[in-house]
Amino acid sequence: MIKEKIFNDTETAFRLKSDMELNRAILLFNAMGIPALMKPGIALTKFSLKAKLPIKPLIKNTIFDQFCGGVSIDDCKPIIREMEEVNLSSILDYSVEGKKSEEEFDSAYHVKLELIEFAKEESEIPFAIFKPTALGRFKIWHKVSSHVSLNDKEKEEWERVKGRVEGLCEKANELNVRLYADAEESWMQEAADLLMEEMMMKYNREEALIFNTLQCYRWDRLEYLKELHNKAKKEGFKIGAKIVRGAYMEKENKRARKRGKVSPICESKEATDVNFNSVMGYCLDNLEDISVFIGTHNEISNYLALQIMEDKGIAKDDQRVWFSQLYGMSDQISYNLASRKYNTAKLVPFGPVKDVVPYLLRRAEENSSVKGQTSRELNLLNREKERRNQTEKLAQASS
């Protein structure tokens, strides 16, 4: 029985943070906990960058350093090594978003190939990652997902997109590196789902190397997973499932209302939690066919996963089960799981400061909109600061 509240251990959670880094995190999460400050702050940041005002150093020394590993792979290496020393793996994510030209898509493709090769070389990198819309225009993913007829030029464009995805999966298979596709908005996701199913069918014959992401704030994802499972058993391939709650809730609901359609999103946070836990439970019940990557900052879901693993006798280091949280967030989960020998990885974004800003602003918006997330982070950071202060006082008193 999982009784110990392991995620309350702040000494383990923040063991790699200096006092200065701890104070910076407290400042940032304080700011993100004030919606009236966040919205104008995000708008001002966007305006300043568009107007080419000199704010990049400010971004670099605050939100960038909190949530990103650096501007390049080399920048990330010290962080990777440091985390590896405490049994915490890393997944590098080139978090450049919103590109539009074929040259930019080709460039992103080559960076992803480099990351797959880097994962092969480095034992502390268990997965490589790519975002489908980093390899092709939003519009083409939308059109294919909507079953709209493509003209000849668009058909050629879609073939190039598929070629990039296939090239990454082929390289991952060649080097025996696990690779997952990140999730997109629902109106682009069907094309990604079908393409990743095709890749799993081709490359996951013996084990799950290729993973797709299921956003469990969508109420249809459990049924989708069950249908995919039936297909996998029939066709003889393994499923790789990265499961998350989701990243585009407000956008999804707003779009559905505007079009007078039923939202693809669960009606409440409670319903989302039930759906996520059900999808997670289904994966853990079917590990012979499904490898699962549990990407959540929700402590209850993580505790539930640990309990299921214990009940089923699933080894902590079973390579079919991984836990993950974002760099700069939920350290109380990541570091405490890693210290207890569970397969755990931090997703470490990197890229040029200006190009990574859309990702950073999304992180800030998500933190401020998720009920309890920011206050929990802040509470733990303050507790650790108080613990260090008390430890220092005791040390001074005894000297």
Side-chain angles (χ1 to χ4, degrees), residues 194-209:
L194 292 173
L195 190 50
M196 295 313 297
E197 286 175 26
E198 185 180 327
M199 296 298 101
M200 283 191 275
M201 194 177 302
K202 184 170 184 178
Y203 296 111
N204 288 3
R205 307 309 293 191
E206 301 298 327
E207 61 177 326
L209 280 179

Side-chain angles (χ1 to χ4, degrees), residues 135-198:
L135 303 178
R137 289 185 308 134
F138 285 82
K139 190 172 182 180
I140 197 73
W141 287 99
H142 183 200
K143 277 196 165 187
V144 175
S145 294
S146 303
H147 306 285
V148 174
S149 295
L150 305 180
N151 60 37
D152 289 343
K153 187 176 179 181
E154 289 170 334
K155 287 177 182 176
E156 291 175 2
E157 180 184 0
W158 179 240
E159 288 303 315
R160 288 194 296 274
V161 174
K162 289 199 299 181
R164 294 183 190 112
V165 172
E166 172 101 37
L168 295 181
C169 293
E170 186 175 7
K171 176 61 73 173
N173 180 68
E174 175 192 331
L175 299 181
N176 198 39
V177 170
R178 283 167 294 203
L179 171 71
Y180 71 77
D182 214 346
E184 302 286 354
E185 291 91 339
S186 62
W187 55 93
M188 290 179 264
Q189 188 61 45
E190 185 176 341
D193 286 344
L194 292 173
L195 190 50
M196 295 313 297
E197 286 175 26
E198 185 180 327

